[in-house]
């Protein structure tokens, strides 16, 4: 917060997450409530918040070293961090991390990911909502002609 005094910060609770889904994405509430582990609900909520409001998502264990204004965040583009170099995406299923994400509201990638969440609900955590889900979703989105997605090293 010290490096970004002009930004608004939110710390969402489990109740806030469920209310977001109930109020703005009621078609997904049954899937959300059916997740077998809490972390799936937390991972999914990130996608819904970014779809609805846009902005920057950071895990709580991240520390800002520079102001957000110093980030190279192109207008209209969804931006992600990575766990492995992008040329390894085809070889490593967890190349894109879900611990840092930045996007404008209603970016089409997030609508695409929301539709995929329904199909992945019964998979293991990493493939249902985690980094593997995100990586495969981004690759599928780009393959289907989606644009304005960047992964930074």
């Amino acid at each position: 917060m010290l490096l970004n005094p002009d930004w608004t910060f939110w710390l969402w609770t489990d109740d806030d997450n469920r209310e977001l889904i109930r109020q703005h994405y009621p078609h997904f509430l049954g899937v959300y409530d059916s997740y077998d582990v809490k972390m799936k609900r937390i991972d999914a909520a990130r996608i819904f918040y970014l779809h609805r409001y846009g902005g920057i998502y950071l895990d709580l264990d991240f520390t800002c070293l520079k102001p957000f204004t110093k980030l190279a965040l192109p207008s209209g583009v969804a931006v992600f961090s990575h766990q492995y170099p992008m040329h390894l995406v085809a070889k490593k299923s967890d190349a894109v991390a879900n611990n840092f994400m930045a996007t404008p509201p209603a970016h089409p990638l997030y609508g695409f990911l929301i539709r995929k969440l329904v199909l992945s609900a019964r998979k293991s955590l990493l493939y249902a909502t985690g980094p593997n889900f995100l990586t495969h979703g981004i690759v599928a989105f780009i393959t289907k002609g989606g644009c304005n997605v960047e992964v930074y090293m």
Side-chain angles (χ1 to χ4, degrees):
M1 287 197 241
L2 295 174
L3 294 176
N4 299 288
D6 297 333
W7 285 67
T8 302
F9 293 83
W10 288 297
L11 179 60
W12 304 101
T13 67
D14 294 338
D15 290 339
D16 293 330
N17 295 349
R18 189 175 189 284
E19 183 59 19
L20 173 79
I21 303 298
R22 187 195 66 73
Q23 186 174 4
H24 299 290
Y25 303 92
H27 67 280
F28 191 76
L29 189 58
V31 174
Y32 183 83
D33 286 341
S34 75
Y35 281 139
D36 58 338
V37 293
K38 180 179 177 178
M39 196 65 222
K40 286 182 182 179
R41 287 186 289 280
I42 293 167
D43 283 348
R46 300 170 191 187
I47 293 168
F48 287 97
Y49 279 114
L50 288 169
H51 181 259
R52 177 86 181 153
Y53 301 110
I56 296 175
Y57 169 85
L58 295 171
D59 273 359
L60 286 174
D61 58 354
F62 268 48
T63 300
C64 285
L65 301 176
K66 294 181 180 180
F68 291 147
T69 55
K70 301 274 185 188
L71 295 173
L73 298 175
S75 178
V77 175
V79 177
F80 301 88
S81 63
H82 69 76
Q83 293 175 324
Y84 297 99
M86 278 308 290
H87 70 278
L88 295 177
V89 166
K91 298 175 186 169
K92 298 252 186 203
S93 60
D94 55 347
V96 180
N98 64 350
N99 51 17
F100 170 88
M101 299 180 276
T103 187
H107 190 286
L109 170 66
Y110 288 90
F112 181 80
L113 292 173
I114 288 168
R115 290 187 297 279
K116 290 187 75 58
L117 280 171
V118 174
L119 303 173
S120 68
R122 298 286 170 233
K123 295 180 179 181
S124 66
L125 172 63
L126 294 178
Y127 289 92
T129 59
N132 297 17
F133 167 81
L134 184 61
T135 299
H136 292 209
I138 290 170
V139 170
F141 180 76
I142 292 169
T143 301
K144 292 182 187 289
C147 58
N148 295 333
V149 176
E150 294 187 23
V151 179
Y152 287 102
M153 299 179 22

